[in-house]
Every structure is written in C-alpha cells, then in structure tokens.
C-alpha cells in the first residue's frame, strides 16, 4: 500500500537496440514515480509496489533471427525469522547451499508455436549478505513476453513472510519491476504447491492475458478448498460454517450453546475451521486456541502486540481474583465517590499480583500504573472524555436524549408514526398489547404545546423501542443471577431549538403462568419520588441500549455481517479482479478479530456473557435481531435514515433530515457520499457498460455466493439488489465499504469515551424497579435511600472493572492502523484515471475533517456544541494511535 504523501523513488531507463523483457516496465515505473512525486505520494516500507501498465512487464521488440537470452536478477525481500525452531539449522544450511526459494517467472502470453502456456523460467534464490535479502539469476528469452505472475516455492521447513520480489534486467536497478507479495509463503513440506503472485495490473476475467488465465482459475480453486478436514495454521482456505463453536460442553455442560445459523437461529456465516465435534454435543465444534483463519488474514506483528483478546481475557482472569479480597461480584459501589476513585486514586493491587498486572499492563498500559516514588501498582483508569468535560452530564435528561443522536448508538432512534402504540407480540403469550404511554400522558408532558396528533403530523415525536425485541427474554434473563430485564419504550419530543427531550419511559414485564403482565409509564415528575423513579427507569433503558448496541449495532451489523463478504471475495474474485482490489483494504484483520471474539468475547462464559445483561442468551438474541431487522439494502446510510423516518428523499434525490442537527447522520452522509463517488469512479473505469457487469462471471458468482451462502438464511428475501448494472454494483460496493469503515467507526471508537464511566452506559441492571408489584421491602429501602438503590442496581465492582478494561482496548487505534483515504493500493496507482479518482477521494475526506470541526464549533448545533458537550468526532476520518474517539479505519480491525 502506498501513502499519497511519500515519494515513490523509481526512475526510467534507456535500453539499447534490443528491448529487454523488463525495460518497458521500468519506464512505466519511472512514469509512475513522476506522477507519485507530483502527488506528494509516500510509500510504506512494509508494502512497496511499483505500478505498471498492460504493456509494461517485459515486451520484446527484437526481430533478430536467433533468439537471445537476457539475464534477469530477482531480489526477494523477506522478513527475518523472529524465533528459533527445531529445523532452523537445516534451513540455515539450505540457505548456505543457495536453495532457499524456487522462483518461476510466468509469461502472460501463449507460445505462438504451440498455442499453449510458455515454459516457465526457473531459478533458485540464495541468501545474500544483507539480512532478509535473497537473490536469483535467471536467463530469460527475449521473446518471453510480459511477466504476468511469479511462482514461489519455499524450501525452508517454516513459512516465510515475503515483502516483495524485484526483477532487474542486466544489473540495472532502474529497470526493476516490483511484484508486491506482502504474504506468508508456506513451506513446501507443509504444501508442495507453490504460491502465485500476479502482476498489479487489474483484469476483468474476460480480459485476462491468456498465459495466466489457467493460473487465475487454479488459484481460486485453491482458496475455495474442498470443504473437508480440519484447517491447518498455514492454509489459505476460505469456506463457510455456522456459529457452532461458541459453547464448550466438554468443559462444562452448562456451557452448551445452540448452533447459530440455520432455520432455527438465522445468522450470517463465519469461516469454516473443520475442527472435530465435542463429545457431549455432536452439533458443537471443539474449541481451540488459536482459532484458524486464513494465514494472510492474521494480525501483523505490530497489531498482535497491541491487541489480543486472549491476552486480555487471561490478564483479567489473573488480576481479578487477586482483587477479590477487595471486590466481589455482588458488591456494589458504596457511593458515587467510590466510582470516581477509579479514575483518581485507583485500586491498590496486592503485591502477590505482580505477575497478573504485568500481563494486563502489556495489553492495557493505560490502566495499570505505578504509584509515584514507589514500586506499588494501582488499577487506575483514564478519565473518559465526557466525564472530563462534565462529570454530571450523564445524570441529565438533555444528555440522555442527545446521545441518541450523537452518542455511541445513534442508529436506533426512530420517528414515531403510529399512535396509539401497540405491541405486535402474541397477547395470549405476553399479555395485553396496548402501551402504557397514553395520549393524555404524552400531551401532559408536552405541556400542552400540541396534541399527539399534531406532534405526529409535524414529526416531533421519536421513539427508542426495545419492547417487542426484549420482552420474550424477560423471564429467561431474570432466572440468571443478579440480573433483571424489562421490555422498554422511550418517547422523545423534538423542540423548536432542534434538541430532543424525553417525555416518558414504559417498562413492561410480560405475563407468566403465575403472574399477570405488569407495565408502567415513568416521567420526570414534580416530586422527589417520581424524580428518582425516573432515574431508575432511565438506567434500565440505558442498559437495554447498551446491550443492543454491543450485540446488534456493533457486532452483528459490522463484524458478523461482513465476514461473509470477505469469504466470498476470496473464493470468487481473483486477486487480479478490480473489485477484489477495491474491497481488499476494507477487510484487513476482520476475520482475525472475529475469531478472537468467538474465542474470548462472545463465547459461553466470555466477557460479553459475564458482564452484559443478556448473559447466556446474548447470541441467541443477536440471531433474533438479525432475523427481524437485518436487510442489506438498509445498511446503506441513506436508506437506513429513510427507513427510520429520520430522512426523506426529495425529488432531486437529496435527503432532507427530520432532525436537522443529527450529528451521526450529518457527518455520516458526508462520508457516505465520498465513498459512493469513489466507488462510482472506480466502477466506471473498469466497466464500460451494464453488459460488462452482467457478463463478469467472477462478479456474478461472488454476489450469488454472498446471498446464498454467506447470508444463506436471508437468500430468498426480495430486498437484495440485483448485480445487473453499473449503478447497482456501485451501490452494493458502497454499502460494504460504508459498513466496514464509517458505520463501524461510529459505533466502536467512542466506547470508552461514553461507556468508560459505566453509570452513563451500564451493561447490566441487577434489581427490579422498586414499584413493581409485591416489593414492599424494596420500596421502603428506596424511599429511605434512593441513591443506594440506584448503586445496587448498577453493575458490581467486578463487572464494572472488567467492562471498563475491555472498552479501553476496544476503543484503541493500533499504531499500524490504515485510515480510509490515507493509503492507495499500488494497483490503483497503476491506472492514471483510478489514481486521480483516489486522490480526489482522499482530498474530499480531508475536507470532511474541516467541515466536522466547523460544525462542532457552531453554537447553533446544540447537539454537538455547548457547555460540557463532547464534540462529535467519531466520523472524523483520521486519527493518531490510541483511544482518541475519532478516525475511520478502512476495515473492522478491532
């Protein structure tokens, strides 16, 4: 990948009377250098690529009667081994013998004499005096034609990470042609088949040079595998499976979990690992660590050092028991100053816990700190941004409402369009469907400004609705220790100044065989009792929103839904396909992060189950939400806003917002438009007509597989767009690129800013609201000490610390983060028009940064500018490493 602001140092070369196979490419590379230098481009040392054109990789112009051979030097740059292993001595000996890597150059042309592929030119690369450099001398016929691919066989007993391969003609480095590799090449002892690396020129299938056409198809067959056996660490096979590996019944029968994915529990598919089934449940796959993902999907060394869900989990499990004499899982915080102390004094760590906090300090250095002038350590958290600005903001109704538009989960609020509000659930099972939010109550809370009918007509009423989706789980969750649940509805009123104010909250407990349905509406009443009950009701709603955010808005709609796109892209689109090269940066690290989530976060007894209210029903609830709400077409930001009544499409196609100052939508639409224009420019370059789209066999197979295999449980839905035109292809690609970048950034990188102070976003409420029937003792406690009841309802000290530590790391940008618009794929730079389109895309994103800053400083935007308000920066495109609350990476990388 190439940054736009670092010069690509290549130069053109003059040849003699006979052009070498590589000179033409060098000239093209020199032209590319001049273009990149003018653009102020910058090349990342990790992945330097040279651009070329179709004619540029070695065309012979000789017309002599006797064929000449030219000496081509291949220089391989590899990452030096980082550890010793049993056969290292044999490999070192192999290096000394000059047989480290077997290279084969593959011509793009067929042999005109036979009509078949030309014979490959082979040569062994030997170790040089420069560490990590290997060199081969090859004799190449001058009529060989363009080099379309390089095959690499690794003679070592261990895999090798190869950065690039340079082909140099006649010893003149200015003629160098670089094949980007940036990939792990397996040992021939693991797999005798060599790896293939294609030219950076992108080709639609019908335009593939004939000499590498068979290789293109063979490579895709290799990546698909045969669906058999257990996957091995070194493999690069992409296939589908259900989520049948979240439970661990062999370890603990209580850890058995249902298979997610299929008719009973619809869900997107994950990458198949092929592990054997457990003894106690033949439908559950045995767990292992690490979890297989295709080799090139795994973290880089830098990323691996800065994030490991496994290390995080082991660190927490080591350090929390050491704190158990001070904390226990049922103890609440005695008062709010005790919560504040987590960010000031911290919790002293026992001396015998040194090994434990060393583990966690490696992962979350911001959390474990040494006390000045001592060798003692404390568990002390950074002050979250919202508390730093206004420590009491979380307590206010204005902030409660504002965060539905500019907080961590701004994608669930909807326009209220029907009244009275009625449940769609079966009344025979759940009780009467009518809502407790009556016309009289809402009009009273609107202070007589207008009737409900007028408010509906003027689009002034909005709702956060967690009633029907959660009601079926109420009794199940209440059977779990230290947890409770209601179905909830919260209605907001849009004032003349453009801000929301909550009017009323409804909490509902469904009927059961022993009890009738219970429900009640809560408002911010005029007396102390109603005021404290209102605060407790808000805590319940915030808990509902936090759980839905983590499981649906975040995990389901980004991580889980994107994995099928990655699998299908690698199975059906060649590395040379322009769509593969457009999407590839948007898939970086996602499969690895998802595998780690299955290993330690969303698994049975994982961090999500332990600390969030749905507990063992977390992924089951996620499946229900997928079945009821997920649609590919409404994952597009404009369609999402329209579907929720937050925007209307005008005759000219532009969107008119229902709430003018809606920071997520305002900024998100800027990002969406940048993405869609870039996708449109890109598609237009490679596809000249709609027929080019429909006749692209790889593209059609890809889109068919996304629908029928990756999202198989939704394959017959009518809302899937047809991939039958350039416009539809642009929309499909824009959705995928938006979800992996802007959507994920908006719901992920503010987690510590907003959830790091857990009363603002509690992950669990442990006590029923005291006015629920037959709770006289609880009501007495509430009347005597309401603050104590609120603290007892919030997460325990252990739960809070576990969640805060987790959110800290999930909110952090890695040092090797790749932000959207910052890096250009070399294949894009190979085509001047695509390069120009990317530069415009990058430039527009830089302009977005400035626009967002202006909006955050405009006092008319009361949902993002005001006393103590956190500016909305989650959709600012760029960031530095760490927990910043801004920055849009290309991919779901954490």
């Amino acid at each position: 990948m190439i940054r736009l602001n670092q010069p690509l140092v290549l130069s053109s070369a003059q040849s003699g009377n006979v052009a070498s196979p590589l000179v033409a490419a060098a000239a093209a590379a020199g032209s590319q250098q001049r273009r990149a230098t003018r653009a102020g481009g910058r090349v990342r040392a990790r992945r330097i690529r040279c651009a070329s054109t179709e004619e540029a990789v070695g065309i012979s112009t000789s017309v002599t009667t006797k064929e000449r051979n030219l000496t081509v030097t291949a220089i391989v740059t590899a990452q030096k081994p980082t550890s010793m292993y049993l056969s290292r001595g044999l490999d070192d000996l192999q290096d000394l013998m000059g047989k480290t890597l077997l290279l084969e150059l593959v011509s793009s042309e067929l042999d005109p004499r036979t009509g078949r592929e030309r014979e490959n030119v082979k040569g062994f690369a030997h170790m040089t005096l420069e560490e990590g450099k290997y060199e081969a001398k090859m004799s190449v016929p001058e009529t060989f034609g363009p080099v379309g691919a390089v095959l690499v066989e690794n003679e070592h007993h261990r895999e090798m990470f190869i950065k690039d391969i340079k082909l140099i003609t006649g010893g003149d480095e200015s003629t160098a042609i670089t094949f980007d590799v940036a990939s792990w090449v397996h040992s021939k002892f693991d797999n005798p088949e060599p790896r293939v690396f294609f030219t950076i020129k992108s080709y639609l299938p019908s335009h593939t040079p004939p000499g590498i056409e068979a290789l293109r198809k063979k490579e895709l067959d290799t990546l698909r595998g045969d669906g058999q056996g257990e996957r091995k660490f070194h493999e690069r096979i992409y296939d589908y499976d259900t989520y049948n590996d979240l439970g661990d019944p062999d370890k603990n029968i209580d850890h058995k979990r249902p298979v997610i994915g299929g008719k009973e529990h619809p869900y997107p598919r994950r990458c198949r690992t092929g592990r054997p089934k457990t003894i106690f449940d033949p439908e559950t796959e045995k767990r292992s660590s690490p979890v297989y993902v295709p080799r090139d999907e795994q973290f880089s060394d830098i990323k691996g050092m800065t994030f490991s869900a496994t290390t995080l989990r082991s660190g927490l499990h080591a350090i929390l028991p050491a704190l158990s004499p001070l904390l226990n899982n049922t103890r609440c915080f005695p008062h709010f100053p005790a919560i504040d102390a987590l960010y000031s004094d911290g919790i002293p760590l026992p001396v015998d816990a040194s090994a434990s906090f060393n583990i966690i300090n490696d992962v979350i250095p911001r959390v474990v700190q040494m006390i000045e002038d001592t060798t003692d350590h404390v568990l002390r958290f950074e002050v979250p941004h919202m508390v730093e600005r206004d420590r009491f903001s979380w307590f206010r109704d204005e902030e409660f409402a504002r965060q539905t538009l500019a907080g961590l989960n701004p994608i669930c609020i909807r326009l209220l369009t029907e009244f009275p509000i009625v449940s769609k659930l079966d009344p025979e099972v759940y009780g009467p469907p009518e809502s407790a939010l009556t016309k009289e109550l809402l009009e009273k809370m609107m202070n007589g400004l207008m009737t409900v009918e007028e408010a509906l007509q003027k689009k002034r009423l909005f709702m956060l609705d967690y009633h029907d989706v959660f009601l079926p789980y109420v009794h199940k969750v209440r059977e779990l220790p230290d947890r409770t649940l209601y179905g909830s509805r919260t209605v907001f009123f849009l004032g003349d100044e453009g801000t929301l104010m909550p009017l009323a909250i409804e909490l509902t407990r469904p009927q059961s065989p022993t009890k009738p349905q219970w429900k009640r509406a809560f408002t911010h009443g005029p007396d102390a009792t109603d005021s404290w009950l209102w605060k407790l009701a808000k805590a319940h709603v915030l808990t509902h929103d936090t759980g839905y955010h983590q499981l649906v808005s975040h995990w389901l709609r980004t991580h889980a839904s994107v994995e099928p796109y990655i699998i299908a892209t690698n199975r059906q689109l060649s590395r040379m396909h322009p769509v593969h090269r457009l999407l590839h940066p948007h898939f970086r690290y996602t499969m690895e992060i998802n595998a780690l989530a299955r290993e330690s976060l969303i698994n049975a007894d994982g961090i999500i189950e332990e600390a969030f209210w749905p507990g063992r029903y977390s992924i089951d609830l996620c499946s229900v939400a997928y079945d009821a709400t997920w649609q590919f077409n409404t994952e597009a930001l404009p369609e999402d806003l329209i579907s929720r009544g937050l925007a209307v499409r005008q005759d000219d196609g532009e969107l008119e917002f229902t709430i003018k100052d809606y920071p997520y939508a305002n900024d998100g639409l800027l990002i969406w438009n940048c993405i869609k224009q870039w996708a449109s420019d890109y598609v237009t370059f490679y596809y000249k007509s709609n027929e080019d789209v429909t006749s692209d066999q790889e593209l059609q197979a890809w889109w068919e597989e996304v629908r029928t295999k990756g999202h198989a449980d939704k394959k017959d839905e009518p809302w899937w767009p047809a991939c039958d035109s350039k416009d539809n292809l642009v929309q499909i690609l824009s959705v995928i690129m938006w979800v992996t970048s802007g959507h994920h950034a908006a719901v992920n990188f503010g987690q510590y800013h907003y959830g790091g102070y857990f009363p603002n976003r509690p992950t669990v409420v442990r006590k029923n609201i005291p006015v629920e029937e037959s709770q006289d003792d609880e009501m007495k406690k509430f009347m005597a000490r309401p603050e104590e009841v609120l603290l007892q309802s919030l997460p325990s000290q252990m739960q809070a610390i576990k969640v805060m530590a987790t959110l800290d790391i999930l909110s952090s940008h890695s040092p090797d983060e790749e932000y959207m618009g910052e890096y250009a794929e070399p294949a894009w730079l190979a085509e001047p028009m695509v390069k120009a389109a990317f530069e415009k895309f990058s430039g527009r994103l830089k302009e977005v940064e400035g626009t967002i800053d202006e909006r955050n400083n405009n006092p008319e935007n009361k949902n993002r500018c005001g006393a103590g308000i956190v500016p909305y920066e989650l959709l600012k495109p760029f960031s530095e490493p760490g927990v910043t609350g801004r920055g849009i990476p290309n991919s779901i990388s954490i």
Side-chain angles (χ1 to χ4, degrees), residues 756-802:
Y757 186 74
F758 67 90
N760 183 61
R761 294 192 66 79
T763 58
V764 64
V765 169
R766 301 189 293 159
K767 296 172 72 71
N768 297 336
I769 200 159
V771 291
E772 189 179 330
E773 60 187 16
S774 303
Q775 292 194 87
D776 293 340
D777 290 343
E778 291 299 317
M779 194 63 188
K780 288 179 182 177
K781 293 178 184 177
F782 167 71
M783 295 297 289
R785 291 184 176 86
E787 179 181 331
E788 186 176 301
V789 171
L790 175 59
L791 286 165
Q792 290 173 349
S793 299
L794 294 176
S796 69
Q797 295 183 33
M798 194 77 83
Q799 288 171 324
I801 289 171
K802 187 176 298 185

Side-chain angles (χ1 to χ4, degrees), residues 287-399:
R287 294 174 59 76
S288 63
S289 181
V291 179
Y292 167 81
V293 295
R295 186 64 181 98
D296 285 337
E297 303 293 340
Q298 296 174 27
F299 288 165
S300 69
D301 289 345
I302 294 175
K303 179 71 172 180
M305 287 187 290
T306 57
F307 177 81
S308 167
T310 306
T311 306
L312 170 65
R313 182 170 169 80
S314 62
L316 288 174
H317 279 204
I319 205 167
L320 292 178
L323 296 174
S324 59
L326 305 173
L327 313 172
N328 64 64
N329 208 38
T330 59
R331 180 182 296 174
C332 68
F333 288 88
H335 39 67
F336 280 98
I339 298 175
D340 297 338
L342 292 174
Y343 313 97
S344 54
D345 301 334
I347 300 173
L349 295 176
V351 176
D352 58 0
S354 58
S356 303
F357 61 68
N358 283 338
I359 293 173
I360 200 168
N361 189 48
D362 289 340
V363 186
I364 324 174
R366 296 180 357 129
V367 173
V368 177
Q369 301 173 19
M370 184 177 291
I371 300 174
E372 191 175 355
D373 299 326
T374 75
T375 58
D376 298 331
H377 289 76
V378 294
L379 193 70
R380 181 165 56 207
F381 292 87
E382 295 286 329
V383 179
H385 200 27
M386 66 164 290
V387 177
E388 186 177 44
R389 281 181 165 259
D390 183 352
R391 60 179 297 202
F392 299 112
S393 60
W394 69 278
F395 218 51
R396 292 198 302 270
D397 289 353
E398 297 91 338
E399 182 66 11

Side-chain angles (χ1 to χ4, degrees), residues 220-294:
L220 285 174
D221 286 341
T222 298
L223 292 168
R224 293 180 194 125
D226 60 6
Q228 303 298 314
E230 183 174 358
R231 298 275 65 86
K232 298 179 178 61
F233 176 81
H234 67 271
E235 292 179 330
R236 300 164 49 247
I237 293 175
Y238 297 78
D239 205 352
Y240 301 94
D241 207 343
T242 57
Y243 280 73
N244 61 356
D245 63 342
L246 301 180
D248 194 0
D250 286 356
K251 177 181 178 181
N252 184 337
I253 194 62
D254 192 49
H255 288 181
K256 180 181 176 181
R257 296 292 181 268
V259 174
I260 305 298
K263 187 175 181 180
E264 188 174 351
H265 298 286
Y267 211 61
R269 299 303 190 258
R270 51 99 173 172
C271 184
R272 179 185 178 275
T273 63
R275 292 170 291 186
K277 299 298 191 290
T278 60
I279 297 172
F280 288 99
D281 181 12
E283 293 186 347
T284 298
E285 192 173 83
K286 282 187 177 180
R287 294 174 59 76
S288 63
S289 181
V291 179
Y292 167 81
V293 295

